[in-house]
Amino acid sequence: MSRPSGRPVDQLRPVTLTPGFAKYAEGSCLAKFGETHVLCTASVEEKVPPFLRNTGAGWITAEYGMLPRSTHTRTEREAARGKQSGRTQEIQRLIGRSLRAICDLKALGERQIKIDCDVLQADGGTRTASITGSYVALHLALRGLVDQKLIPVLPLRDQVAAVSCGIYNGVPVLDLDYPEDSAAEADANFVLTATGRIVEIQATAEEAPFAEEQFAELLKLARKGIAELARLQRAAVGLGGL
Amino acid sequence: MSRPSGRPVDQLRPVTLTPGFAKYAEGSCLAKFGETHVLCTASVEEKVPPFLRNTGAGWITAEYGMLPRSTHTRTEREAARGKQSGRTQEIQRLIGRSLRAICDLKALGERQIKIDCDVLQADGGTRTASITGSYVALHLALRGLVDQKLIPVLPLRDQVAAVSCGIYNGVPVLDLDYPEDSAAEADANFVLTATGRIVEIQATAEEAPFAEEQFAELLKLARKGIAELARLQRAAVGLGGL
Amino acid sequence: MSRPSGRPVDQLRPVTLTPGFAKYAEGSCLAKFGETHVLCTASVEEKVPPFLRNTGAGWITAEYGMLPRSTHTRTEREAARGKQSGRTQEIQRLIGRSLRAICDLKALGERQIKIDCDVLQADGGTRTASITGSYVALHLALRGLVDQKLIPVLPLRDQVAAVSCGIYNGVPVLDLDYPEDSAAEADANFVLTATGRIVEIQATAEEAPFAEEQFAELLKLARKGIAELARLQRAAVGLGGL
Amino acid sequence: MSRPSGRPVDQLRPVTLTPGFAKYAEGSCLAKFGETHVLCTASVEEKVPPFLRNTGAGWITAEYGMLPRSTHTRTEREAARGKQSGRTQEIQRLIGRSLRAICDLKALGERQIKIDCDVLQADGGTRTASITGSYVALHLALRGLVDQKLIPVLPLRDQVAAVSCGIYNGVPVLDLDYPEDSAAEADANFVLTATGRIVEIQATAEEAPFAEEQFAELLKLARKGIAELARLQRAAVGLGGL
Amino acid sequence: MSRPSGRPVDQLRPVTLTPGFAKYAEGSCLAKFGETHVLCTASVEEKVPPFLRNTGAGWITAEYGMLPRSTHTRTEREAARGKQSGRTQEIQRLIGRSLRAICDLKALGERQIKIDCDVLQADGGTRTASITGSYVALHLALRGLVDQKLIPVLPLRDQVAAVSCGIYNGVPVLDLDYPEDSAAEADANFVLTATGRIVEIQATAEEAPFAEEQFAELLKLARKGIAELARLQRAAVGLGGL
Amino acid sequence: MSRPSGRPVDQLRPVTLTPGFAKYAEGSCLAKFGETHVLCTASVEEKVPPFLRNTGAGWITAEYGMLPRSTHTRTEREAARGKQSGRTQEIQRLIGRSLRAICDLKALGERQIKIDCDVLQADGGTRTASITGSYVALHLALRGLVDQKLIPVLPLRDQVAAVSCGIYNGVPVLDLDYPEDSAAEADANFVLTATGRIVEIQATAEEAPFAEEQFAELLKLARKGIAELARLQRAAVGLGGL
């Protein structure tokens, strides 16, 4: 079997994480996974949703969108349609949960970080690129709070990154691009920490149910990819030596 | 550790699947998982969404809703609010995908089955009860098509059922009820076929990331539960001897 | 003339009012008028709409919905459509007004009762079944407030029930079922108290205007039906001896 | 008892029906009931709603709105709010039903008349003024179709008019104005034909249920008012001699 | 060249400004520019939008709507459609800005004036008639505040009026009516003060870009028209001698 | 007077127009006016809106959006809010009109060009940057149609570009950035052709009406800026020698 891109089965696309890409945001990162480009920003707000008022705890939430012509053929603009699709809502809920899982919300204090992930160009894997880049944006925004002495230390317990894997032509492969994604028999999104723990797994049979052994293969590939992504994240936030 | 319900860790709640509960639907099932009660109906429509017209293939889609007072405290009515929540959309997309994965849509012919899952009472696990009950409703609706000689045989490749598992007080347990669900460290929804293949896995760390070994434990519990649910499904559709 | 159901012109369908059907609601009733089944719940909230704040008076409001496949052919889900139909709004306003008319809102105190009427199965007369069942749910919820000593006595001045009558094949008949309702020349919904006073009348010529004498006949039939319904309500709330 | 306006209990407010008030509509009427002013227009469209296509039958439908400052204090604009209230929907459904009840829709042919009732000034009784004025607008639009030889004769079986009555300070009175309407113990809207038949009755207890005898009084007052309104309608459409 | 109406190029349509047309509004004016009729009302509210709270300053905002049959063929009702068109929003924003530009919002005090412009009949130039009439409504409402001694003097720095001009058959003309407007090569709306200063200019090439000299011609025509409109406004508010 | 940026009054910010920035669109341009960055894409669709079907003529339409954190403080996402603001609608209507004014829609043939302008970073002048960049995107998309021999020649009659001018501290200046825009006494957007003709002018007094002489100054500055922008557009589309 050969992949459309010619990559080995366990190779990520070229990934770059550019910190500070957005001029005004408290934290930001342009995440590129090959031709998939996502601009992630983190905005700090000094108030929390109603259910957290007076609890001392903070919150992290996320929104996701695609530019209409980020895709091969134009996608309808959600603002013009008047509502976000089910897919958009699923993705933004996933991003928020993933980041909250590695943040100490008590230590964050009663403030909210709003993550925005906007897809400038889409070639598969936009949700996993969003999570991976958002971690960098979040880290930088939190460091700003430390620098301003609003919190004493970074309220992060771990790093989180994400990657998709799938079964393409019967073979498990890492980091699906669009041609693979649209033809895969199954695909799975893995959100893992740098220390190898599971934050979220979403595995879906696209055409036919698949075997547990295949799932185990996908998880193994994901571990390899996440280790590489975590290294790139550390470099992006200036902790290359970790 | 003891579960609030006193159940062993690998025991389902009492489950009943009542076929034909709804008078007018082509197929229906009232699925009860303990105090969680979901009415699942399958409606046959002799037309398909635009993207399938003139392809000869059919479609299965699902909608999900909760009665406002199915919950411990009243939940706002989505029709009054004017939109479905992200959670509702996530669930109904999951139900649709799960059923499509075991159906031969070509053999179904150019018609659509609309599944409605309405939660009459909610005590945790409404999405997994919905999938499990919907399979029965779908099976019965399809059998009606066979009986009317609209299709020659049942276009089903397998059975599909679902169950949630979670880590409660550090221990993996099967089929979370609401008190467990709201306190679990992690929870995972497994959608598997009767033959043990994976249709969908959604695993989420609620508080802190968890280890791969724990995930493996959850999957093992799910397999046991699904085997029991598949047996109950067969009985509900009158195939008890399988 | 004979009715499709074979009933005499002044006979109700078999009616059952099952109190306490919903596990979590403060008051509830499953109202069955033949094949029309409506689940009515009453939820107590310790706050009132803005226009009543600091007046000491309470409020009763209602919402109404139909399960998509409660009907002979599937009806679109209002939550998916994004708005409630004019018919739904008319019905829920009617239910609320009917219950408020027999309740002493001052004596209720500054709290709100939210009634939910969800039609599980529809065979004509869903709005009148909703009112009749909601009275039981409301009564039970209010009794709970008395039992908790939040109010000293039941703030109810009377009982309220409802029934539809219509002119079918030229003949006035009581309690239309769907086959009658869809063919009736006129139909009228009567909301009356147990003591025979008028709460609401809505009479409509479906095809051609009708005479005052016919209207008088319909009202007479309604009185007979309401007396029977009021007796069943008393039994349902445990006041059979009244 | 004396009414705020000093009118006898059975006296209408000064009513004028000005035909042809709107320059562009196929039929129109400015209906004034005292300080309540409603502009009614009838627009002819040569197509029908989907459920009537190829049936040969026509349709009449209505929309209703209030100018934001037609009321004593400003009312929110429904177009700005993004939806029509339940009250608006109730009223426009009532207007449509009332007009359809006296029209031979088969004889109208496969075309639709859209009625618009816009309240320029509101002092109670806007829905009954709307129905009374809309009849004139409809009549004129239909006469235009006859004049153009699109239909051979007026497809009207009767005239329809409407008036509200209510119990004010314990006394039944005809044609409530706003001060009466807001203080009435009960009010009822009667839609009757010129020949005295019932098209629609909506009677509501505002504060406490009322007796059948009181209802009979209200109906009697309505008959007197409707007879006068029907005479004014005939004059407005140029049939004064009838 | 001759205009469809036979008017000279620099002649307004017959304009009347009827103050006090609406019974309940604090200020009102029916503005007629030929067959274009707009009812303008000004409602005083003793609260301001959130961004002005505790600033001591007031606000003026506007809403605009057209009756469905104000137009030659019926226009869809925005309240029924569920949203205001882009055109409506553009116009109401323009009306608000135009009035705020000549009002001393500090001197108005912390209150809001809501302007409603409702088009009863449309024959071109509804937005300019709206602005011209709204000034009168605003003036009257503000005078009411002075009369009640809520503010010491009228917080108006100038008068504002508006007119459209356009290039019709190659010739610049004043005050386009609908036949001209729909065939114009360019049109421009001018909002000027009585003292000749510019509040807003919106000039648009409908078919082909136009020359600066033509624009200068349009502005010259507008000055002439505005001077006449300002005189009529003074008469309407009872300041004919100014 | 000195401008915050230190620019002379008649100097544009550094402007770059990067053609082909978006990988998938038929035409695209990243337009940078200083710190204002707008991504403009042109998508070709082989069908037209209903009002143009079977006319042989084409259409150009535009949509506009801002990334939530393109601004100094985060702006709410319109897709999450469920509707586009009045400002957004005004801008996208302006972009569409501006481009249509220089295109021969008959020669385009029965197809539609959809322009998307998405603001990645906002520092004033986003609408004028959008128009200027969209011309480049449109030009490139149309050239693609010529290259594919779908149309024989470019259906463009002229170039169009836009710039804002304003009165800042009493002095007319060219190309407002955000600090100037938010403090300007008046601002005006000019949309002109390369040959100096007027496509659209929108001039607004922000605080107080301004004099005609000032307006003339603004127009003069705009002419200078547009000439420079038109030169940059020609270079961007590879017509540098023009």
Side-chain angles (χ1 to χ4, degrees):
Chain A
M1 191 237 29
S2 76
R3 303 178 71 173
S5 61
R7 279 186 282 152
V9 295
D10 63 349
Q11 189 175 83
L12 293 173
R13 289 175 282 181
V15 174
T16 61
L17 301 174
T18 308
F21 186 84
K23 184 181 176 74
Y24 306 122
E26 282 75 33
S28 68
C29 177
L30 178 67
K32 293 191 179 181
F33 279 53
E35 295 293 344
T36 290
H37 304 175
V38 185
L39 176 51
C40 309
T41 61
S43 299
V44 178
E45 297 187 355
E46 290 295 323
K47 64 176 184 183
V48 288
F51 70 93
L52 284 177
R53 273 181 211 145
N54 303 317
T55 63
W59 194 244
I60 301 171
T61 188
E63 289 185 5
Y64 168 94
M66 299 179 86
L67 295 199
R69 200 51 200 276
S70 60
T71 42
H72 289 73
T73 57
R74 188 177 182 273
T75 304
E76 203 184 355
R77 186 180 291 268
E78 291 189 330
R81 240 177 106 223
K83 63 175 189 172
Q84 295 179 299
S85 69
R87 175 185 172 275
T88 292
Q89 292 191 61
E90 241 177 73
I91 293 174
Q92 58 195 15
R93 284 158 54 90
L94 170 63
I95 300 168
R97 277 200 311 273
S98 297
L99 295 174
R100 289 194 300 271
I102 51 94
C103 184
D104 180 344
L105 296 169
K106 275 282 176 194
L108 172 58
E110 210 164 310
R111 55 177 60 86
Q112 182 169 227
I113 313 291
K114 282 206 178 144
I115 302 294
D116 285 289
C117 296
D118 284 278
V119 178
L120 304 185
Q121 196 168 288
D123 189 44
T126 63
R127 82 186 68 189
T128 46
S130 294
I131 292 168
T132 304
S134 292
Y135 170 78
V136 174
L138 173 65
H139 186 110
L140 296 174
L142 293 174
R143 198 150 70 199
L145 293 175
V146 174
D147 291 349
Q148 296 168 71
K149 299 196 193 306
L150 290 166
I151 48 176
V153 292
L154 276 186
L156 292 172
R157 291 190 289 237
D158 206 332
Q159 273 171 258
V160 67
V163 76
S164 74
C165 301
I167 302 173
Y168 176 74
N169 279 343
V171 179
V173 297
L174 173 66
D175 189 22
L176 303 176
D177 55 27
Y178 181 75
E180 291 171 332
D181 192 28
S182 52
E185 290 103 55
D187 78 280
N189 294 296
F190 294 92
V191 187
L192 305 179
T193 67
T195 55
R197 295 177 77 83
I198 296 168
V199 172
E200 184 115 7
I201 294 174
Q202 294 185 340
T204 303
E206 289 296 327
E207 285 190 1
F210 54 100
E212 189 170 341
E213 294 70 34
Q214 291 175 300
F215 177 77
E217 277 295 309
L218 297 177
L219 176 50
K220 196 172 149 192
L221 287 168
R223 291 201 173 285
K224 179 168 186 300
I226 297 275
E228 171 68 8
L229 293 171
R231 201 183 54 75
L232 292 167
Q233 287 177 328
R234 282 190 297 273
V237 299
L239 298 173
L242 284 198
Chain B
M1 194 245 15
S2 76
R3 304 177 71 172
S5 60
R7 278 185 282 151
V9 295
D10 64 349
Q11 189 174 85
L12 293 173
R13 290 175 282 183
V15 174
T16 61
L17 302 174
T18 307
F21 186 83
K23 184 182 176 73
Y24 305 122
E26 283 74 34
S28 68
C29 176
L30 179 65
K32 293 190 178 183
F33 279 54
E35 295 294 345
T36 289
H37 303 173
V38 185
L39 176 50
C40 308
T41 61
S43 300
V44 178
E45 296 187 357
E46 291 294 324
K47 64 175 183 184
V48 287
F51 71 93
L52 283 177
R53 272 181 212 144
N54 302 317
T55 63
W59 194 243
I60 302 171
T61 188
E63 290 186 5
Y64 168 94
M66 299 180 87
L67 294 199
R69 199 52 198 277
S70 60
T71 43
H72 290 72
T73 57
R74 189 178 181 275
T75 304
E76 201 185 355
R77 185 180 292 266
E78 291 190 328
R81 241 179 105 222
K83 62 174 189 172
Q84 296 180 299
S85 70
R87 176 186 173 274
T88 291
Q89 292 192 59
E90 240 177 74
I91 293 174
Q92 58 196 16
R93 283 158 53 91
L94 171 63
I95 300 168
R97 277 200 311 273
S98 296
L99 295 174
R100 288 194 299 271
I102 50 95
C103 184
D104 180 343
L105 296 170
K106 276 282 177 192
L108 172 57
E110 211 164 308
R111 54 178 61 84
Q112 183 168 225
I113 313 291
K114 282 205 179 147
I115 302 294
D116 285 288
C117 296
D118 284 278
V119 178
L120 305 186
Q121 197 168 287
D123 189 44
T126 63
R127 82 186 67 189
T128 46
S130 293
I131 292 168
T132 304
S134 291
Y135 170 78
V136 174
L138 173 65
H139 187 112
L140 296 173
L142 293 174
R143 200 151 68 200
L145 293 176
V146 174
D147 291 350
Q148 296 169 70
K149 300 195 192 307
L150 290 166
I151 46 175
V153 292
L154 276 185
L156 293 171
R157 291 191 287 237
D158 206 333
Q159 273 172 259
V160 68
V163 76
S164 75
C165 301
I167 303 174
Y168 176 72
N169 280 342
V171 179
V173 297
L174 175 65
D175 189 21
L176 303 176
D177 55 26
Y178 181 75
E180 290 170 332
D181 192 28
S182 53
E185 291 103 53
D187 80 279
N189 294 295
F190 294 92
V191 186
L192 306 179
T193 67
T195 55
R197 295 176 78 83
I198 296 168
V199 171
E200 184 114 5
I201 295 175
Q202 294 186 337
T204 303
E206 290 296 327
E207 286 192 0
F210 54 99
E212 189 171 339
E213 295 68 36
Q214 290 175 301
F215 176 77
E217 277 294 310
L218 297 176
L219 176 51
K220 195 170 149 194
L221 286 168
R223 289 199 175 287
K224 179 169 186 298
I226 297 276
E228 172 66 8
L229 293 171
R231 201 184 54 76
L232 291 167
Q233 287 178 328
R234 281 190 298 273
V237 299
L239 299 173
L242 287 196
Chain C
M1 193 238 26
S2 77
R3 304 178 70 172
S5 61
R7 279 185 283 151
V9 295
D10 65 348
Q11 190 176 84
L12 293 172
R13 288 174 284 182
V15 174
T16 60
L17 301 173
T18 308
F21 186 85
K23 184 181 176 74
Y24 305 121
E26 282 75 35
S28 68
C29 177
L30 178 67
K32 293 190 179 182
F33 280 53
E35 295 294 345
T36 289
H37 304 174
V38 185
L39 175 52
C40 308
T41 61
S43 300
V44 179
E45 297 186 356
E46 290 296 323
K47 65 177 184 182
V48 288
F51 70 93
L52 285 176
R53 273 182 210 143
N54 303 316
T55 63
W59 194 244
I60 302 171
T61 189
E63 289 185 3
Y64 169 93
M66 300 179 86
L67 294 199
R69 199 53 200 274
S70 61
T71 43
H72 289 72
T73 56
R74 190 178 181 273
T75 305
E76 203 185 355
R77 185 181 293 267
E78 290 189 330
R81 239 177 106 222
K83 65 176 189 170
Q84 295 180 300
S85 70
R87 175 185 173 275
T88 290
Q89 291 191 62
E90 241 178 74
I91 292 174
Q92 58 195 16
R93 283 157 55 89
L94 171 63
I95 300 168
R97 280 200 310 273
S98 297
L99 295 174
R100 289 195 298 272
I102 51 95
C103 184
D104 181 345
L105 296 170
K106 275 282 177 196
L108 172 57
E110 210 164 308
R111 56 177 61 84
Q112 182 168 227
I113 314 290
K114 281 206 179 145
I115 302 292
D116 285 288
C117 296
D118 284 278
V119 178
L120 305 186
Q121 197 169 287
D123 189 44
T126 63
R127 81 185 69 190
T128 47
S130 293
I131 293 168
T132 304
S134 292
Y135 170 78
V136 174
L138 173 65
H139 186 112
L140 296 173
L142 294 173
R143 200 149 70 199
L145 293 175
V146 174
D147 291 348
Q148 295 169 70
K149 299 196 192 306
L150 291 166
I151 48 177
V153 292
L154 275 186
L156 293 171
R157 292 190 288 238
D158 206 332
Q159 274 172 256
V160 67
V163 76
S164 75
C165 301
I167 302 174
Y168 176 73
N169 279 343
V171 180
V173 297
L174 175 65
D175 189 21
L176 303 176
D177 55 26
Y178 180 76
E180 291 171 332
D181 192 27
S182 52
E185 291 102 55
D187 78 281
N189 294 295
F190 293 93
V191 186
L192 306 179
T193 68
T195 56
R197 294 176 79 82
I198 296 168
V199 171
E200 183 114 7
I201 294 176
Q202 294 185 339
T204 303
E206 289 296 328
E207 285 191 1
F210 55 98
E212 188 170 341
E213 295 69 35
Q214 290 176 301
F215 177 77
E217 277 294 311
L218 297 177
L219 176 50
K220 196 170 147 194
L221 286 168
R223 289 200 174 288
K224 179 167 185 298
I226 297 276
E228 171 67 9
L229 293 171
R231 201 182 56 73
L232 291 167
Q233 287 178 327
R234 282 191 297 273
V237 300
L239 298 173
L242 285 197
Chain D
M1 193 246 17
S2 77
R3 303 177 70 171
S5 61
R7 279 184 283 151
V9 295
D10 63 349
Q11 190 175 83
L12 292 173
R13 289 174 284 182
V15 174
T16 61
L17 301 173
T18 308
F21 186 84
K23 185 183 175 71
Y24 305 122
E26 282 75 35
S28 68
C29 177
L30 179 65
K32 293 190 179 183
F33 280 54
E35 295 293 347
T36 289
H37 303 174
V38 184
L39 176 51
C40 309
T41 61
S43 299
V44 179
E45 296 187 356
E46 291 295 324
K47 64 176 184 182
V48 287
F51 71 93
L52 284 176
R53 271 181 213 146
N54 304 316
T55 64
W59 194 244
I60 302 171
T61 187
E63 290 186 4
Y64 168 95
M66 300 181 85
L67 294 198
R69 200 52 200 276
S70 61
T71 44
H72 290 72
T73 57
R74 187 177 182 277
T75 304
E76 201 185 357
R77 185 181 292 268
E78 291 189 329
R81 240 176 105 225
K83 64 175 189 172
Q84 296 179 299
S85 70
R87 176 186 173 275
T88 291
Q89 292 192 61
E90 240 178 75
I91 292 174
Q92 59 196 16
R93 283 157 54 90
L94 171 63
I95 299 168
R97 278 200 310 272
S98 298
L99 295 174
R100 287 194 300 270
I102 51 94
C103 184
D104 180 343
L105 296 170
K106 275 282 177 193
L108 171 57
E110 210 165 307
R111 54 178 60 86
Q112 183 168 225
I113 314 291
K114 281 204 179 148
I115 303 293
D116 285 287
C117 295
D118 283 278
V119 178
L120 305 186
Q121 197 169 286
D123 189 44
T126 63
R127 81 186 69 186
T128 47
S130 293
I131 293 168
T132 303
S134 291
Y135 170 79
V136 174
L138 172 66
H139 186 113
L140 295 174
L142 294 174
R143 200 151 68 199
L145 292 176
V146 173
D147 291 349
Q148 296 170 69
K149 299 194 192 307
L150 290 166
I151 47 176
V153 292
L154 276 184
L156 292 171
R157 292 190 287 237
D158 206 332
Q159 275 173 257
V160 68
V163 76
S164 74
C165 300
I167 303 173
Y168 176 73
N169 279 343
V171 180
V173 298
L174 175 65
D175 189 20
L176 303 176
D177 55 25
Y178 181 75
E180 291 171 332
D181 192 28
S182 52
E185 291 102 56
D187 79 280
N189 294 295
F190 294 93
V191 186
L192 305 178
T193 67
T195 55
R197 295 177 77 84
I198 296 167
V199 171
E200 183 114 6
I201 295 176
Q202 294 185 338
T204 304
E206 291 294 327
E207 285 190 1
F210 54 99
E212 188 170 341
E213 295 69 35
Q214 290 175 300
F215 177 77
E217 277 294 311
L218 296 177
L219 176 51
K220 196 171 148 192
L221 287 168
R223 290 198 173 287
K224 180 169 185 301
I226 296 277
E228 172 66 8
L229 293 171
R231 201 184 54 73
L232 291 167
Q233 286 178 328
R234 281 191 297 273
V237 300
L239 299 174
L242 286 197
Chain E
M1 194 242 19
S2 78
R3 303 178 71 172
S5 61
R7 280 184 281 150
V9 295
D10 63 349
Q11 190 175 82
L12 291 173
R13 289 174 282 182
V15 174
T16 61
L17 301 173
T18 308
F21 186 84
K23 185 183 176 73
Y24 305 122
E26 282 76 34
S28 68
C29 177
L30 178 66
K32 294 190 178 182
F33 279 55
E35 295 293 346
T36 289
H37 303 175
V38 185
L39 176 51
C40 309
T41 60
S43 300
V44 179
E45 296 186 358
E46 291 296 322
K47 65 174 183 183
V48 288
F51 71 93
L52 285 176
R53 272 182 213 144
N54 303 316
T55 64
W59 193 244
I60 302 171
T61 188
E63 289 185 5
Y64 169 93
M66 300 179 87
L67 295 199
R69 199 52 199 276
S70 60
T71 43
H72 289 73
T73 56
R74 188 176 182 275
T75 305
E76 203 185 355
R77 186 180 292 267
E78 290 189 330
R81 239 177 106 224
K83 64 176 190 171
Q84 296 179 299
S85 69
R87 175 185 173 275
T88 291
Q89 291 190 63
E90 240 177 75
I91 293 175
Q92 59 196 14
R93 283 156 55 91
L94 171 63
I95 300 168
R97 278 200 311 272
S98 296
L99 296 173
R100 289 194 299 271
I102 52 94
C103 185
D104 180 343
L105 296 169
K106 275 281 176 196
L108 171 57
E110 210 164 308
R111 55 177 62 84
Q112 182 168 228
I113 314 291
K114 281 207 179 145
I115 303 294
D116 285 289
C117 295
D118 284 278
V119 178
L120 305 185
Q121 198 169 286
D123 188 45
T126 62
R127 82 185 69 188
T128 47
S130 294
I131 292 168
T132 303
S134 292
Y135 170 78
V136 175
L138 173 66
H139 186 112
L140 296 173
L142 293 174
R143 199 149 71 199
L145 293 175
V146 174
D147 291 348
Q148 296 168 70
K149 300 196 193 304
L150 290 167
I151 49 177
V153 292
L154 275 185
L156 293 171
R157 293 190 288 237
D158 206 332
Q159 274 172 256
V160 68
V163 76
S164 74
C165 300
I167 302 174
Y168 177 73
N169 278 342
V171 180
V173 298
L174 175 65
D175 189 20
L176 303 176
D177 55 26
Y178 181 75
E180 291 171 332
D181 193 27
S182 52
E185 291 103 54
D187 79 280
N189 294 295
F190 293 93
V191 187
L192 305 179
T193 68
T195 57
R197 294 177 79 81
I198 296 168
V199 170
E200 183 114 6
I201 294 176
Q202 294 185 338
T204 303
E206 290 295 328
E207 286 191 0
F210 55 100
E212 189 170 339
E213 295 69 36
Q214 289 175 302
F215 177 77
E217 278 294 310
L218 297 176
L219 176 50
K220 196 170 149 195
L221 287 168
R223 290 201 173 285
K224 179 169 185 298
I226 296 275
E228 171 67 8
L229 293 171
R231 201 183 54 74
L232 292 167
Q233 287 177 329
R234 281 191 298 273
V237 301
L239 298 173
L242 286 196
Chain F
M1 192 247 15
S2 76
R3 305 178 70 171
S5 60
R7 279 184 283 151
V9 295
D10 64 349
Q11 189 175 84
L12 293 172
R13 291 175 281 182
V15 174
T16 61
L17 301 173
T18 308
F21 186 85
K23 183 182 177 71
Y24 305 122
E26 283 75 35
S28 68
C29 177
L30 178 67
K32 294 190 178 182
F33 279 54
E35 295 293 345
T36 289
H37 303 174
V38 185
L39 176 51
C40 309
T41 61
S43 300
V44 179
E45 296 187 357
E46 291 295 323
K47 64 176 183 182
V48 287
F51 71 93
L52 283 177
R53 271 181 214 146
N54 303 317
T55 63
W59 195 243
I60 302 172
T61 189
E63 290 185 4
Y64 169 93
M66 299 179 87
L67 295 199
R69 200 54 200 277
S70 61
T71 44
H72 289 72
T73 57
R74 188 177 182 275
T75 305
E76 202 185 356
R77 185 180 292 267
E78 291 190 328
R81 241 177 106 223
K83 64 176 187 170
Q84 296 179 299
S85 70
R87 175 186 172 276
T88 291
Q89 292 191 60
E90 242 177 74
I91 293 174
Q92 60 195 16
R93 283 157 56 89
L94 170 63
I95 300 168
R97 278 199 311 273
S98 297
L99 295 175
R100 289 194 298 271
I102 50 94
C103 184
D104 180 343
L105 296 170
K106 276 282 179 193
L108 171 58
E110 210 164 309
R111 54 177 61 86
Q112 183 167 225
I113 314 291
K114 282 204 178 148
I115 302 294
D116 285 286
C117 296
D118 284 277
V119 178
L120 305 186
Q121 196 169 287
D123 188 45
T126 62
R127 81 185 70 187
T128 47
S130 293
I131 293 168
T132 304
S134 291
Y135 170 78
V136 174
L138 173 65
H139 186 112
L140 296 174
L142 293 174
R143 200 152 67 199
L145 293 175
V146 174
D147 291 348
Q148 297 170 70
K149 302 196 190 306
L150 291 166
I151 47 176
V153 292
L154 276 185
L156 293 171
R157 292 189 288 237
D158 206 333
Q159 274 171 258
V160 67
V163 77
S164 75
C165 301
I167 303 174
Y168 176 73
N169 280 342
V171 180
V173 298
L174 175 65
D175 190 20
L176 304 175
D177 55 25
Y178 181 75
E180 290 171 332
D181 192 29
S182 53
E185 291 103 55
D187 80 279
N189 294 296
F190 294 93
V191 186
L192 305 180
T193 67
T195 55
R197 296 177 77 85
I198 296 168
V199 170
E200 184 114 6
I201 295 176
Q202 294 185 339
T204 304
E206 290 296 327
E207 285 190 2
F210 56 99
E212 188 171 338
E213 294 69 36
Q214 290 175 300
F215 177 78
E217 277 294 311
L218 296 177
L219 177 50
K220 196 170 148 194
L221 286 168
R223 288 199 175 288
K224 180 169 185 299
I226 298 275
E228 170 67 7
L229 293 171
R231 200 183 55 74
L232 291 167
Q233 287 178 328
R234 281 191 297 274
V237 300
L239 300 173
L242 287 197

